[in-house]
Amino acid sequence: MTDPATRAPDRGLLDRIGLPKPLVLGYIGVLLFMIGDGVESGFIAPYMADHGAGTDVKAGYVITVYGVAVMLASWFSGALSEVWGPRTVMWVGLGIWAVFDALYLVFALGTENYPMMLILYGIRGFGYPLFAFGFLVWITGSAPKARLGTAVGWFYFAFTGGLPTLGSLWSSFTIPAIGEMGTLWTALGLILLGGAVALVGAKGREGGDRLADPDVTTGQSLFNSVSIIWTHPRVLVGCLVRIINTAPEFGMLVYLPRIFSDDVGFGTDKWLQLLAIIYGTNIFFNLIFGAVSDKIGWRTTIATFGAFGCAVSVTVLYFVPTWLGPDYYWVAVLAGMLYGATLAGFVPISALIPNMAPENKGGAMALLNLGAGGAAFVGPAVASLFLPLVGAGGVTIVFLVLYLVAMVLTFFLKMPEEQGGSAAPASPSPTGKSSAPTPA
């Protein structure tokens, strides 16, 4: 028999499923926060078009400006977390979102003022990346490397569980009861609740304070997040892959609401429920592919299940429902579930990229977050640019091509020890070693 004194301690449930126990309330808070952020995702573009913007294209411009702010804040979140600490960055993001959302609802939508939409909705875009990606930096700085893919998967479970999954589901029930404007006000309450749970619940937890050395200034941290472009150019390639990852997701939110609810004939309620189903599927596959990537390799998972899978599924999601019409809603549901599942194949990139530059993980995370935020700009920009030229079907083909480009780029995402080899790149394992031999 094994001596009880020498027996390894039993791992708790949270350890077994790869969820960092000290940050559990942080994950719950991020979920609530992103539910609030996602409440508007399925209807805000057409609602702005009908309440001050004038057209879907002009509403797309507002979302594009918002995307620029998201992109910049996503970059800042990594660099600022190094010197301010993830906890402080999250507080700043919460404050920006709450203040400028209230101003946007009162002085932009409330008065149907298009210039104010551009300004206030744009500034509000700095809020959620600072909050959410500040927490992602917290995770990558404190989770064990061998379970980092799973820990990141749990982050995207919370992130996508809110935006747009449960957020869209929430609005599908509240819009018939209190209307669009009332629904937008409920989002502010969810944001404040999520912020309180995350920041109060994770108070004092390891990894939430300053991460950089004491002599590193804010300017130096921002410079490090840029200098990594030439010191580790493959990280820049990873940034491009991360942009392509969710650019179509944000882009489709510009034109699919009108097409699926009006042109196809599903109606607003069914469209919002479809959106919830798509990303409800995604949140569970975030966990699955996070764990799978720790077994078969981060890069292999990204290229096959993520990039190639999305190239197929994004095409199916648009063309099959628009071809079959409103009587085949169940087919649209299956197509949406396929897209949600394959979108999760990109999850391991948040584990791979920081380990490609182990001596400058803060800069790598800053560039990775820039890619995440850049998707919120690139997607709506592509949709707004190409929609008048080639229509919704043409925009979907552009997204298909982008995913195929991402698949090719993924094979350049090598770990430092792989970059001297001449063979085709092998997938990294959680330990940072190649999962297949790479000849010298």
Side-chain angles (χ1 to χ4, degrees), residues 52 94 266 378 387 429:
L94 174 62
F266 289 152
V378 171
L387 194 59
S429 73

mmCIF file of all heavy atoms in Angstrom, residues 52 94 266 378 387 429:
data_model
loop_
_atom_site.group_PDB
_atom_site.id
_atom_site.type_symbol
_atom_site.label_atom_id
_atom_site.label_comp_id
_atom_site.label_asym_id
_atom_site.label_seq_id
_atom_site.Cartn_x
_atom_site.Cartn_y
_atom_site.Cartn_z
ATOM 1 N N GLY A 52 -30.792 57.627 -36.723
ATOM 2 C CA GLY A 52 -29.816 58.699 -36.825
ATOM 3 C C GLY A 52 -28.721 58.495 -37.846
ATOM 4 O O GLY A 52 -28.248 59.451 -38.454
ATOM 5 N N LEU A 94 -13.391 49.307 -17.236
ATOM 6 C CA LEU A 94 -14.750 49.341 -16.697
ATOM 7 C C LEU A 94 -15.276 50.766 -16.633
ATOM 8 O O LEU A 94 -16.429 51.044 -17.019
ATOM 9 C CB LEU A 94 -14.759 48.705 -15.301
ATOM 10 C CG LEU A 94 -16.081 48.781 -14.523
ATOM 11 C CD1 LEU A 94 -17.186 48.037 -15.255
ATOM 12 C CD2 LEU A 94 -15.895 48.225 -13.108
ATOM 13 N N PHE A 266 -36.228 35.194 -41.309
ATOM 14 C CA PHE A 266 -36.249 34.568 -39.992
ATOM 15 C C PHE A 266 -36.883 35.470 -38.936
ATOM 16 O O PHE A 266 -37.420 34.988 -37.934
ATOM 17 C CB PHE A 266 -34.826 34.202 -39.547
ATOM 18 C CG PHE A 266 -34.207 33.066 -40.307
ATOM 19 C CD1 PHE A 266 -32.832 32.985 -40.467
ATOM 20 C CD2 PHE A 266 -34.985 32.066 -40.868
ATOM 21 C CE1 PHE A 266 -32.248 31.939 -41.160
ATOM 22 C CE2 PHE A 266 -34.420 31.008 -41.566
ATOM 23 C CZ PHE A 266 -33.047 30.950 -41.718
ATOM 24 N N VAL A 378 -11.094 45.554 -38.700
ATOM 25 C CA VAL A 378 -10.941 45.018 -40.051
ATOM 26 C C VAL A 378 -12.243 44.404 -40.560
ATOM 27 O O VAL A 378 -12.639 44.619 -41.710
ATOM 28 C CB VAL A 378 -9.801 43.985 -40.099
ATOM 29 C CG1 VAL A 378 -9.773 43.265 -41.444
ATOM 30 C CG2 VAL A 378 -8.460 44.656 -39.837
ATOM 31 N N LEU A 387 -19.349 45.669 -49.342
ATOM 32 C CA LEU A 387 -20.789 45.422 -49.445
ATOM 33 C C LEU A 387 -21.428 46.191 -50.598
ATOM 34 O O LEU A 387 -22.208 45.606 -51.370
ATOM 35 C CB LEU A 387 -21.459 45.767 -48.105
ATOM 36 C CG LEU A 387 -22.893 45.263 -47.901
ATOM 37 C CD1 LEU A 387 -22.947 43.748 -48.004
ATOM 38 C CD2 LEU A 387 -23.420 45.719 -46.543
ATOM 39 N N SER A 429 4.382 21.486 -28.585
ATOM 40 C CA SER A 429 3.673 20.860 -27.487
ATOM 41 C C SER A 429 3.564 21.843 -26.351
ATOM 42 O O SER A 429 4.183 22.901 -26.376
ATOM 43 C CB SER A 429 4.431 19.607 -27.018
ATOM 44 O OG SER A 429 5.587 19.987 -26.317
#
